[in-house]
């Protein structure tokens, strides 16, 4: 970081002067719309529009936050694309992680199955996901493979090209979208290995000579990660030492998305003649796909089914499984709780968490570790050894990419707004011009016309589209608010049967409650409520007969108030009035 | 860390030889029982029992986890002390943080108000909490102040003494509990400032000459925190620079428990003639208590009410407030959402998060930062500047304390089981004898008799005692499971009115649902359920008349199954049968 960004820039101006084809003045503009990713702007989906033509980058999903109980996942809102389906020339997928392909089954269907472009593993994983979602859906898919990184595709005014990036899954690509208005450079998810294993370090300098103006859309999570990332070399050395030296079994919990790491572990185990058993649906599925493509080279002698681990001595066994986040039903949790059919923890097993903790999972992971430490003497995790290396960049890497690529415009993306702002500040501190930086939100429309970049005043819709079970978008905010309310203090149901003609109560009010108190231990409270309900019905205006809405309101208000006074809780009070 | 622990130990053996009074052989034993703190063993409460006498250390509360919706907090389970109330000689409070005093109002009452011992600020904060909980309760309190750290108290076989520790609140003390069987040394919550401001660094060497055997109960969170803590000196320099150089207002969000930091900020602002406005109930209350005791020296000229900040130029205003965790209703959130009566964010305000992010709050804090960055150009947090210093130790500090104190036994506490295990390993790596280390759980009973330490086979009860509104312990696991269930997929209520004699349906089944689907948009589904319910009632055995339990079971099973097939959701299905 010694040479300043400005020095680089000067060099670049000269190069620009030589190579640059000046775009023609035009009334057509390039529009860039980050369309999905909740707080992480654009991570799940980005739309590029030029005149009448549209290209989409990725169709990913987001996992729900804690205040979204019951929701399976969230997908990008495609309201903006409704009626424009025919204009979609292609959907380009950068890599096979769920936050980039997970919404494909639903969105491809919604948009009438436009052409899909991706590297072989990415396409294979999309196909798998389509089939998982709905048997036979893959027959609808129109796809074209990016066979080599030199392939380029023309879609009307768009030329799409690719470049190599480092990420934690094979076949991750950076994407170049060239238009008459300018060139977008988008590394997608990326990290920067300065000293990689078995290949040359990637450089991005060649991207500085693309036709100008260039816009660099750069994942900027790293803007607030000043600490050095664990280099893959360190991580693999640690993992290999652990696997080699273990006297018992080695059980490694990791993300099934870390397919590159999974490959390295399997191939290392094969080299030192250990057996690898995979467990966890996504883990087995991902490895199967990668094997079919020849991306993971492991024979039947190395990869054994989990139910055969007992046929070999413990010191020859490596188990690779999911569940390092402490998810209740995942493999590692089942192993620890003793519910796994084939694996019970032994004291001299070595258990490795080759994973980070996803924010929100800290407590569950801590509990999982507590339980593991009770059973086993060798539990290894990132707090005590570098056995995980993140798939994303840090601040220094961002500066380095800006230096190498020297874009005309800088659009930090794929992170929270505040991180994007910090990425912008980082760029400015290293000599980038503030006015050539744009911070977008999901739904923002950035327009590039005649080298002028501007963010349009109106955003396109990006309200959450929740997927819950088979329902897509049918869980509204009302439903969600009810769930939150029910979670907090439960429900209190008051059922009264009345004579329709007179409004007079028939029998005693029935009371049922869940998640509020134990009725059996609070009989006095329940009795008092019954008495109050009777009074409400007596005091109701008997001349007008049964006034159901009035009775319901009275019960809701008065009983709610009474319960709060007695308990300081606010269960949802639900009056049910039966007229006979 | 150059000199090995063994060298230290040899020196200590000589000292022991000179000073040690050999405890007499005895049938009476010292029992140590960590009694509360959920995953963090003993953090909320510890019981010391010698013969018939009991001393308690702290009565704190724990905040609930995400899977405990609606719960306000969790308090230690005192089942073990039931019937032993008269034998409790004293409750010693180490410092005034909620996880050490927060359960005092409930537990002191439960245990018949035993004598309370603590430093002046700690006692004052306990009194405040008692009054907050129930007006007039403070009249019941019997308390005795620790006037100086040289005070000692005799309670039958116990002698209780104190020593200085570094922590983030004034009047935090380490506690020594001496008995004929041995001496417990317990620093409570501690950190280790090597280069503190305005005072000498604390050393713990003097604790090595206490009567043996000595047991060091040591907060060991730091065992898995290998990184260096931000020293208070660095933090204060950064904070002071920010406050001094700000051209607009400075708004600092921090924990109200960080009373030492709050004092330093107020006193610094006073020195450079800025005004400080406090906001947030606990913030104002804590500062008021500290001021009354003379612990915070600030005149009316410095501390101004929040509604008067507009009477001064912005550059002279410092606002100290709560809510840096993004809690919806706390001050900082209200300021950001524009709901605060007196403070609206301006672009040139400086907003400082002088706080860490409590695990589980990451997302809310990120959203808060996102919103702040939209309004303000100067948002400062620990990702970009060292403006927070944790109140706890790290691995190096743990080793240092072991070296200085040279205890006979080491009991890591106040952390998750796996951290305690790692603290044990850390000690062993530095020369401590494995067999002199005990890892306890909450409820474990450690017995020390004739220099023999053993963990008894039976644990005492420590099941969660939940506080929810006015209820203490009345939210059972059943209620909690209902809340979790309701949160996930909501509730689906089917009301049928039947003729008691024949079991025949009267009218149409009524259906109400919350948190599951929007009924209006799913009328077909609702209609189908009605049809199915009618069929269930027709198929019920009409000869036997109304069989309510049978009908209810049928509705629960068949409708539950139907809803799952149609939606892949499992709402709680609640059948209500009204007989007329």
């Amino acid at each position: 970081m010694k040479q300043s960004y400005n020095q680089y820039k000067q060099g670049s101006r000269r190069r620009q002067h030589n190579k640059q084809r000046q775009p023609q003045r035009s009334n057509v503009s390039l529009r860039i719309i980050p369309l999905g990713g909740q707080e992480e702007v654009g991570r799940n989906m980005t739309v590029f529009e030029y005149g009448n033509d549209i290209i989409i980058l990725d169709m990913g999903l987001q996992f729900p936050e804690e205040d979204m109980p019951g929701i399976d996942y969230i997908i990008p809102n495609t309201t903006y694309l409704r009626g424009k389906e025919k204009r979609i020339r292609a959907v380009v997928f950068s890599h096979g992680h769920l936050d980039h392909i997970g919404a494909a089954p639903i969105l491809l269907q919604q948009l009438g199955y436009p052409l899909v472009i991706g590297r072989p593993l990415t396409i294979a994983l999309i196909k798998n996901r389509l089939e998982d979602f709905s048997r036979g859906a893959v027959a609808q898919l129109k796809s074209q493979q990016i066979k080599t990184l030199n392939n380029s595709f023309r879609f009307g005014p768009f030329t799409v090209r690719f470049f190599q990036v480092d990420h934690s899954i094979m076949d991750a690509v950076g994407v170049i979208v060239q238009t008459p208005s300018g060139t977008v450079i988008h590394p997608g998810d990326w990290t920067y290995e300065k000293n990689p294993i078995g290949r040359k370090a990637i450089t991005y300098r060649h991207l500085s000579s693309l036709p100008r103006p260039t816009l660099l859309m750069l994942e900027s999570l790293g803007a607030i990660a000043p600490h050095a990332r664990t280099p893959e070399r360190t991580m693999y050395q640690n993992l290999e030492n652990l696997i080699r030296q273990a006297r018992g079994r080695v059980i490694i919990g990791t993300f099934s998305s870390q397919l590159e790491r999974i490959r390295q572990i399997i191939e290392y185990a094969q080299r030192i003649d250990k057996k690898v058993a995979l467990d966890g649906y996504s883990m087995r599925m991902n490895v199967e796909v990668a094997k079919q493509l020849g991306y993971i080279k492991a024979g039947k002698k190395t990869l054994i089914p989990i139910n055969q681990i007992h046929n070999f001595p413990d010191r020859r066994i490596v188990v690779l499984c999911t569940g390092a986040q402490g998810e209740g039903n995942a493999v590692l949790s089942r192993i620890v709780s003793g519910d796994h059919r084939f694996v019970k923890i032994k004291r001299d097993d070595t258990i490795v968490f080759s994973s980070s903790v996803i924010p929100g999972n800290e407590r569950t992971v801590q509990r999982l570790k507590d339980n593991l430490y009770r059973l086993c003497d060798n539990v290894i995790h990132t707090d005590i050894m570098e056995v995980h290396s993140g798939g994303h960049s840090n601040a220094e890497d961002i500066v380095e990419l800006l230096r190498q690529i020297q874009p005309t415009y800088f659009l930090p993306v794929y992170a929270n707004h505040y991180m994007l702002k910090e990425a912008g500040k980082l760029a400015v501190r290293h000599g980038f011009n503030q006015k050539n930086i744009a911070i977008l939100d999901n739904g923002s429309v950035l327009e590039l016309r005649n080298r002028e970049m501007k963010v349009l005043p109106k955003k396109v819709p990006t309200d959450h589209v929740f997927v819950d079970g088979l329902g897509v978008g049918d869980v509204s905010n009302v439903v969600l608010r009810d769930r939150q309310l029910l979670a907090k203090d439960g429900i209190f149901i008051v059922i009264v049967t009345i004579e329709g003609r007179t409004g007079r109560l028939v029998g005693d009010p029935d009371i049922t409650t869940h998640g509020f108190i134990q009725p059996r231990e609070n009989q006095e409270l329940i009795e008092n409520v019954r008495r109050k309900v009777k009074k409400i019905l007596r005091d109701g205006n008997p001349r007008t007969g049964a006034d159901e809405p009035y009775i319901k309101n009275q019960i809701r208000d008065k009983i709610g108030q009474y319960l709060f006074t007695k308990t300081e809780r606010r269960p949802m009070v639900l009056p049910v009035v039966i007229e006979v």
Side-chain angles (χ1 to χ4, degrees), chain A:
Chain A
M1 285 228 273
K2 287 287 161 55
Q3 194 174 5
S4 92
Y5 180 75
N6 278 321
Q7 285 171 275
Y8 272 108
K9 218 159 81 171
Q10 302 226 330
S12 116
R13 285 224 186 86
R14 276 194 297 279
R15 278 202 297 283
Q16 275 176 47
H17 190 74
N18 298 332
K19 299 191 179 178
Q20 192 179 327
R21 283 163 281 164
Q22 190 68 29
Q24 298 167 310
R25 285 197 73 81
S26 162
N27 274 326
V28 187
S29 65
L30 169 64
R31 290 176 166 203
I32 301 176
I33 313 172
L35 202 53
Q38 317 316 321
E39 273 89 7
E40 295 195 335
V41 177
R43 179 174 299 279
N44 302 152
M45 185 163 168
T46 308
V47 169
F48 301 95
E49 198 173 7
Y50 187 89
N52 272 325
D53 295 288
I54 291 173
I55 277 189
I56 295 172
L57 176 64
D58 291 337
M59 292 179 161
L61 59 78
Q62 195 85 1
F63 288 102
E65 310 291 340
E66 301 108 69
D67 56 357
M68 304 171 185
I71 300 300
D72 298 333
Y73 53 90
I74 308 161
I75 60 173
N77 186 321
T78 52
T79 307
Y80 177 73
L81 297 170
R82 235 171 265 159
K84 304 191 179 79
E85 293 82 355
K86 295 252 162 69
R87 294 160 48 191
I88 301 171
R89 308 293 294 254
V91 186
V92 181
F93 286 92
S94 63
H95 66 286
H97 283 161
L98 284 183
D99 50 347
H100 295 262
I101 69 164
I106 297 170
L107 297 192
L108 287 176
Q109 190 192 31
Q110 276 183 7
L111 300 173
Y113 289 100
L115 176 67
V116 161
I117 306 287
R119 293 278 285 156
L121 180 65
T122 311
I123 298 278
L125 289 169
I126 292 170
K127 286 185 175 166
N128 238 294
R129 184 137 182 104
L130 253 68
E131 280 302 288
D132 264 5
F133 191 78
S134 151
R135 192 86 87 83
V138 79
Q140 309 278 342
L141 187 73
K142 291 184 284 293
S143 68
Q144 213 171 330
Q145 281 194 1
I146 308 165
K147 296 233 170 64
T148 82
L149 285 181
N150 295 325
N151 283 173
S152 77
F153 297 83
R154 280 211 72 143
F155 302 110
F158 294 105
T159 305
V160 180
R161 296 196 277 149
F162 308 94
F163 56 97
Q164 202 191 343
V165 294
D166 276 318
H167 191 46
S168 50
I169 185 169
M170 290 80 95
D171 276 355
V173 291
V175 176
I176 297 162
V177 179
Q178 233 169 288
T179 73
S181 290
T183 306
V184 179
I185 303 168
H186 201 323
D189 284 7
W190 65 288
T191 182
Y192 197 46
E193 286 293 345
K194 275 129 207 141
N195 186 14
I197 300 176
R199 61 187 198 281
K200 280 210 310 196
I202 297 174
T203 65
Y204 296 88
R205 260 173 242 286
H206 61 286
L207 301 173
S208 66
S209 55
L210 287 165
R212 304 229 153 213
T214 57
L215 293 96
L216 176 62
M217 298 184 76
L218 190 64
E219 172 187 84
S220 297
L221 275 181
I224 55 137
H227 296 297
R229 223 180 110 256
T230 298
E232 59 170 49
R233 191 173 285 272
T234 311
M235 172 186 68
Y236 285 124
Q237 273 161 3
N238 285 333
L239 287 175
E240 292 182 5
N241 288 343
L242 287 169
I243 294 171
R244 195 177 56 248
Q245 292 163 359
R247 284 173 310 174
R249 300 175 303 185
V250 180
I251 300 172
I252 303 176
T254 190
F255 303 107
S256 61
S257 58
Q258 295 281 354
L259 209 41
E260 179 59 35
R261 184 174 314 167
I262 294 166
R263 175 182 77 77
Q264 300 241 14
I265 291 171
I266 294 174
E267 293 181 4
Y268 179 74
Q270 178 156 285
R271 285 207 295 285
I272 62 167
D273 198 26
K274 293 208 177 193
K275 308 290 173 192
V276 179
L278 305 170
D279 207 13
Y281 173 74
S282 57
M283 176 76 74
R284 279 182 286 119
M285 190 270 276
N286 283 358
V287 171
E288 190 50 40
V289 171
K291 262 179 63 189
Q292 279 171 13
L293 292 170
Y295 284 26
I296 293 182
K297 292 179 185 65
K300 274 197 180 150
K301 282 205 174 157
T302 297
L303 280 178
I304 59 169
I306 190 85
N307 61 6
Q308 286 177 27
I309 56 172
H310 302 293
N311 301 342
F312 301 91
D314 281 358
R315 65 182 162 67
R316 290 189 58 202
I317 292 294
V318 176
V319 176
L320 259 172
C321 63
T322 55
Q325 294 300 311
E327 315 93 306
N329 253 335
V331 180
L332 198 53
S333 295
R334 281 189 285 120
I335 290 178
V336 173
S337 63
D339 295 335
H340 196 281
R341 274 181 71 194
F342 305 109
V343 188
K344 308 265 173 255
I345 300 281
K346 301 177 185 175
R347 202 142 274 288
D348 66 347
D349 286 341
T350 300
I351 313 215
V352 185
F353 285 76
S354 183
S355 58
S356 56
V357 181
I358 294 172
N361 291 354
E362 288 81 3
R363 299 291 190 189
T364 8
V365 174
Q366 286 186 345
R367 284 183 211 171
L368 182 63
K369 285 183 189 159
D370 280 350
N371 293 332
L372 269 173
Y373 271 73
R374 288 179 200 283
L375 301 170
C376 174
D377 290 332
N378 320 293
V379 185
I380 313 290
H381 44 95
T382 51
D383 287 333
I384 57 175
M385 193 188 284
E386 292 179 296
V387 287
H388 173 71
S389 170
H392 303 280
S393 63
N394 66 16
E396 194 184 321
D397 300 335
I398 292 174
V399 173
E400 185 57 31
L401 251 70
L402 280 168
R403 276 189 182 137
Q404 293 191 16
I405 301 177
Q406 299 168 54
T408 319
Y409 301 107
F410 177 38
L411 273 63
V413 290
Y414 284 17
N416 275 62
H417 178 83
Y418 81 94
M419 302 173 189
L420 305 185
K421 279 263 173 77
E422 287 295 340
K425 288 186 183 180
L426 193 65
V428 170
R429 276 203 297 280
H430 287 83
F432 207 89
N433 192 334
Q434 173 77 60
K435 70 178 207 308
N436 292 336
I437 298 173
I439 310 289
L440 306 180
D441 288 321
N442 280 318
S444 291
V445 182
L446 180 112
E447 195 175 67
L448 187 73
R449 187 198 301 261
N450 300 326
R451 300 189 66 99
E452 293 287 319
M453 174 174 83
K454 80 170 177 223
V455 179
L456 300 190
K458 241 186 115 179
K459 287 185 191 177
V460 312
T462 55
D463 321 273
H464 285 163
V465 177
F466 295 125
V467 178
D468 178 3
L470 296 179
V472 176
D474 69 334
V475 172
S476 62
N477 285 328
V478 177
V479 171
L480 212 59
R481 245 194 330 271
D482 276 350
R483 287 184 188 175
Q484 290 161 358
L485 212 65
L486 289 166
K488 208 174 159 307
D489 286 324
I491 190 164
F492 192 92
I493 306 170
V494 179
I495 303 143
V496 292
T497 313
I498 58 174
E499 255 185 38
R501 200 174 39 84
T502 61
R504 241 197 308 256
L505 184 69
V506 180
D508 254 6
D510 258 311
I511 285 161
T512 309
T513 180
H514 283 276
F516 167 53
I517 47 161
Q518 295 265 54
R520 240 174 310 170
E521 288 159 21
N522 291 275
Q523 288 181 354
E524 196 191 321
L525 183 81
I526 303 286
E527 254 334 296
N528 286 341
V529 170
R530 271 211 188 89
R531 213 166 299 137
K532 277 178 189 294
V533 172
K534 285 183 190 166
K535 186 166 181 324
I536 289 167
L537 282 158
R538 266 202 314 275
D539 296 352
N541 199 336
R543 279 166 303 179
T544 58
D547 183 351
E548 220 184 284
Y550 174 80
I551 293 172
K552 282 186 172 177
N553 271 335
Q554 286 281 304
I555 291 177
R556 230 185 323 256
D557 291 356
K558 293 202 171 145
I559 301 305
Q561 188 51 46
Y562 174 73
L563 294 177
F564 182 75
T565 315
K566 286 293 168 189
T567 64
E568 288 196 3
R569 298 177 201 167
R570 298 195 183 282
M572 181 189 281
V573 176
L574 194 71
V576 176
V577 178
I578 311 277
E579 289 187 36
V580 289

